[in-house]
Amino acid sequence: MTCPICGKEIRDGSKFCTWCGKPIPCCPTCGKVIRERTRFCTHDGTPLPEELLQHLPEKAPVPPVTPWGAQPPERPRPPKGEKPQPERSHPPKGEKPQPEHPRPVRREEPQPGQSGGKRTRESGQEGLAIKIVVILLAVLLVALTGVAVYLLLGGGAPAETGDAGGTPAQSGETGQEAEDSQSGGDGEASAQEGTSADAAQSGQSGEADAQSGQSAAEEAQAAADAAAEAAGDDAGDAAAAGDGQTQQEEPPAEPVVESVHRYEVIAADFTWQQARDACEARGGYLATITSEEEYQQIAALAEESGLRYLWLGGALQSVQDDWGDGSWITGEAWTYDNWYPGEPSKQDKDGTEELYLCLWNADYNEQPLGWTFNDQRADLVTAFPSISGDVGFVCEYEETR
């Protein structure tokens, strides 16, 4: 900046001129430099004391003229707390300023146990599996009981009875052979008669024994069939009871799905529209701040980035609109704000509309305020080239786990 007394270039924020040694007159309320004798501050209208105006000359000093072809002095950056004023210089006609490639500053990875992380609940599948195993064991026990009853009621009796039924026939044949051998010397007639009589008697006794064995086998078979049928009915009832109990079990509860929000600060001399498109291309959107907790997370990332101007996802359609519900690009309710003193203005001093939300770090009355809201024009770097390299934007990502 230039000294208002001697007109020479001095360092920004200097309290005394390094050339003339006189104190730099500043407004006691807004802290801005007074450059001419006037009763009131031209910035905020505060009355100025007479002893402050005595340091100023009658006429404002004329700034030195740079000779033709000489290198112009480097343009200083505006001090903290002072809103940059638009400069007269513009880029050549037909040429647009080229934004730099975004360089990521810091990514915030969600840590386990933080708010916004997802949590899952265990279902009752383990208890259901135990109940099914118990039912299967009960069915197997009933089946083994039926087999044991079948064996106890004489499942092998028909075979033994059939063997007994065949024994009289064998004994009849043996008697016939013995009778033939004993009556061999008596003559053919006597032998034939004795053999026929013995054979008839033996056949009758064998037939009676066979009939009795067959009836015993049928009774044993009927008893075994009845036992098997009873065992099958019991097993079917147990299985039906098990199926009914399984059907009555409530389905396992579905796990609760929670969304986790992650933020990223990116440095780039972008307009508000370019920053919005860049976040959408990355799978997110320009960040919105709807709570104190969310503001603290984003402010911590902004402080670490070293930048001073960060675009947020808020915009107005026209100067007739007010900041509130509908101003966030996501459609969220306007439940939190932190405006810089005197903002929002919706219009700059040169008449340019300010319809886009910016998070900036500036002082007020030489007191640090931290990161506050401020409405700005869409293209900051073109209007104020001195802030190039201090501009960026905040992207917000939603993830479900």
Side-chain angles (χ1 to χ4, degrees):
M1 69 179 184
T2 59
C3 175
I5 299 174
C6 65
K8 294 185 178 181
E9 290 287 336
I10 59 174
R11 189 176 180 181
D12 293 344
S14 300
K15 303 243 182 231
F16 294 89
C17 178
T18 57
W19 299 93
C20 64
K22 294 184 180 181
I24 304 300
C26 298
C27 177
T29 57
C30 68
K32 297 184 178 180
V33 179
I34 306 300
R35 299 189 175 275
E36 58 183 355
R37 288 196 176 191
T38 177
R39 289 187 159 284
F40 302 92
C41 177
T42 58
H43 301 284
D44 59 358
T46 303
L48 301 176
E50 186 65 27
E51 57 272 13
L52 179 65
L53 300 177
Q54 290 178 358
H55 297 287
L56 294 170
E58 293 293 336
K59 295 184 178 180
V62 180
V65 179
T66 304
W68 177 263
Q71 185 70 21
E74 183 180 357
R75 182 171 298 146
R77 294 171 58 181
K80 272 191 172 183
E82 184 174 344
K83 193 170 184 179
Q85 300 298 324
E87 301 185 4
R88 302 289 182 181
S89 60
H90 295 280
K93 191 173 182 181
E95 181 179 348
K96 295 183 179 179
Q98 299 298 326
E100 298 180 359
H101 294 288
R103 47 187 175 88
V105 176
R106 181 176 181 269
R107 296 177 182 269
E108 181 184 6
E109 298 295 338
Q111 300 295 332
Q114 290 183 352
S115 61
K118 293 187 178 178
R119 302 177 181 174
T120 57
R121 299 179 180 175
E122 297 182 354
S123 60
Q125 294 182 354
E126 183 177 355
L128 179 62
I130 293 176
K131 292 180 180 180
I132 294 175
V133 171
V134 171
I135 292 172
L136 293 177
L137 290 176
V139 173
L140 181 60
L141 181 60
V142 171
L144 292 176
T145 304
V147 173
V149 170
Y150 173 74
L151 294 176
L152 290 176
L153 291 179
E160 296 178 358
T161 309
D163 294 342
T167 302
Q170 295 176 1
S171 60
E173 292 177 356
T174 304
Q176 181 180 0
E177 292 176 357
E179 194 69 28
D180 291 339
S181 61
Q182 290 178 1
S183 57
D186 295 336
E188 293 181 359
S190 299
Q192 291 177 356
E193 291 177 1
T195 302
S196 300
D198 293 338
Q201 292 179 358
S202 300
Q204 291 176 358
S205 61
E207 183 178 359
D209 293 339
Q211 291 178 354
S212 61
Q214 184 177 3
S215 60
E218 291 176 354
E219 292 176 359
Q221 184 67 30
D225 293 341
E229 184 177 359
D233 294 340
D234 293 340
D237 295 340
D243 293 341
Q245 187 175 2
T246 303
Q247 293 176 359
Q248 292 177 0
E249 291 293 335
E250 296 182 357
E254 296 182 357
V256 177
V257 178
E258 298 180 359
S259 80
V260 177
H261 291 255
R262 182 171 59 86
Y263 307 95
E264 181 182 18
V265 176
I266 300 174
D269 292 341
F270 279 2
T271 65
W272 185 88
Q273 290 84 355
Q274 289 173 336
R276 177 197 60 192
D277 297 342
C279 285
E280 292 177 356
R282 291 170 173 263
Y285 52 88
L286 272 178
T288 61
I289 301 178
T290 58
S291 66
E292 177 68 23
E293 180 182 2
E294 195 170 14
Y295 165 77
Q296 293 297 339
Q297 294 183 28
I298 294 178
L301 291 176
E303 192 68 26
E304 294 177 3
S305 69
L307 304 175
R308 292 182 59 193
Y309 305 89
L310 297 174
W311 290 120
L312 294 178
L316 297 179
Q317 297 296 326
S318 65
V319 292
Q320 285 76 24
D321 299 336
D322 293 326
W323 292 96
D325 291 345
S327 299
W328 294 121
I329 59 176
T330 57
E332 297 175 89
W334 189 272
T335 56
Y336 179 86
D337 56 35
N338 185 15
W339 291 105
Y340 184 82
E343 300 294 340
S345 60
K346 296 192 290 186
Q347 192 171 9
D348 209 345
K349 293 181 180 180
D350 62 351
T352 304
E353 294 181 352
E354 297 180 324
L355 305 179
Y356 304 96
L357 187 59
C358 176
L359 189 69
W360 74 330
N361 188 6
D363 297 343
Y364 182 73
N365 290 340
E366 299 184 357
Q367 297 295 328
L369 293 182
W371 292 90
T372 55
F373 287 10
N374 186 13
D375 52 357
Q376 293 280 8
R377 61 186 72 198
D379 192 353
L380 283 174
V381 178
T382 301
F384 315 108
S386 61
I387 67 174
S388 176
D390 288 339
V391 181
F393 53 96
V394 185
C395 287
E396 183 173 355
Y397 308 94
E398 292 186 11
E399 300 174 354
T400 56
R401 295 184 180 177

